[in-house]
Amino acid sequence: MSSKLFTLEVQTRQRSQFIDITSEVERIVTQSGVKEGTARIFTLHTTAGLTINENADPTVVEDILMELNKVVPLNDGYRHMEGNSAAHIKSSLFGVSLAVFITGGRLALGTWQSLYFCEFNGPRQRKVLVKVIEE
Ligand code: ZN
């Protein structure tokens, strides 16, 4: 088993935004030369997350963000003085890591699946680590 670690920079443009990072992660997998294995994806932040969801209709991720703001309002008497508790809560709800199988040198994703970087406290410059493991 061998592995290589890569860093992906993600520039977000809005306070809350889903950014499709599938093609960037695919590029890393190709660059690694790994044909069979796993890509582990981890983001180094407490107010952002990662998820996999539909890529065909962009209104799907818009609906997710819209409903998420109802479940976790921006202001709700939070005690954290920095004023970004909603973003911290959303980060924990989504989680900060994903694992996707690699087969035939490509990510084994379903037809409608994309990898999304989930910004909850933007705009910011963000970092995502991608570890490509041959196994
Ligand atoms: Zn904070």
Side-chain angles (χ1 to χ4, degrees):
M1 195 168 89
S2 69
S3 67
K4 289 174 192 152
L5 186 65
F6 299 83
T7 303
L8 194 59
E9 303 277 344
V10 180
Q11 176 65 55
T12 66
R13 309 263 170 223
Q14 293 161 24
R15 182 199 290 269
S16 291
Q17 182 181 15
F18 277 30
I19 295 178
D20 190 335
I21 58 169
T22 313
S23 59
E24 285 84 351
V25 177
E26 284 271 15
R27 199 173 307 131
I28 286 170
V29 170
T30 304
Q31 196 184 327
S32 76
V34 170
K35 300 295 179 207
E36 301 296 323
T38 307
R40 291 189 161 272
I41 303 141
F42 180 84
T43 189
L44 302 164
H45 306 286
T46 61
T47 56
L50 294 166
T51 196
I52 296 176
N53 217 303
E54 172 165 336
N55 55 27
D57 182 353
T59 61
V60 170
V61 293
E62 289 171 20
D63 284 347
I64 293 172
L65 283 172
M66 184 176 74
E67 291 305 301
L68 197 54
N69 285 333
K70 293 181 193 167
V71 176
V72 186
L74 193 57
N75 300 300
D76 198 20
Y78 301 121
R79 298 169 67 193
H80 176 48
M81 292 305 286
E82 200 187 2
N84 60 356
S85 272
H88 287 297
I89 294 165
K90 290 171 183 173
S91 173
S92 276
L93 287 176
F94 276 70
V96 292
S97 68
L98 296 171
V100 181
F101 297 128
I102 297 163
T103 185
R106 302 209 57 193
L107 294 171
L109 291 168
T111 307
W112 310 114
Q113 288 183 319
S114 271
L115 310 179
Y116 286 96
F117 180 86
C118 311
E119 177 62 82
F120 299 123
N121 195 39
R124 283 168 187 257
Q125 180 78 25
R126 301 296 205 170
K127 273 188 170 45
V128 177
L129 299 182
V130 181
K131 189 163 213 176
V132 184
I133 305 158
E134 187 165 38
E135 51 192 349

